[in-house]
Amino acid sequence: MSEEVGEEKPHLLIYKSALDYFSVKPHETLFVGDNWRNDVAGPAESGMKAVPLDGVAYDVIKELPEILRLLEIDH
């Protein structure tokens, strides 16, 4: 949460803190959200895969199984 980190999205420290908390690397992460700047551009700048839930973007999630495709997981 931004109160704990001391910064707000899209500050890179927010995404780094989340990665550290979950002990994952950026390339292992898919960030999904509803705000282009905070939930797509910010995480992508941090090296994460990032997609919006809705709107104009390079990839949009419309159904949950699409997340598996983006993560390149066989289902």
Side-chain angles (χ1 to χ4, degrees):
M1 299 199 49
S2 60
E3 296 85 26
E4 295 175 22
V5 176
E7 297 290 347
E8 293 184 9
K9 292 189 289 186
H11 194 282
L12 295 181
L13 186 57
I14 290 285
Y15 312 109
K16 182 182 180 332
S17 296
L19 294 168
D20 291 346
Y21 179 83
F22 290 106
S23 298
V24 294
K25 296 181 173 145
H27 70 275
E28 300 171 326
T29 306
L30 177 64
F31 200 102
V32 180
D34 63 357
N35 181 282
W36 178 263
R37 182 174 172 231
N38 294 340
D39 302 328
V40 178
E45 188 176 335
S46 297
M48 300 179 199
K49 291 181 181 180
V51 295
L53 290 172
D54 191 20
V56 178
Y58 60 89
D59 214 340
V60 176
I61 298 293
K62 294 183 181 178
E63 295 183 12
L64 192 56
E66 294 178 56
I67 291 176
L68 299 175
R69 177 184 53 82
L70 290 168
L71 291 173
E72 299 174 3
I73 296 173
D74 292 328
H75 53 284

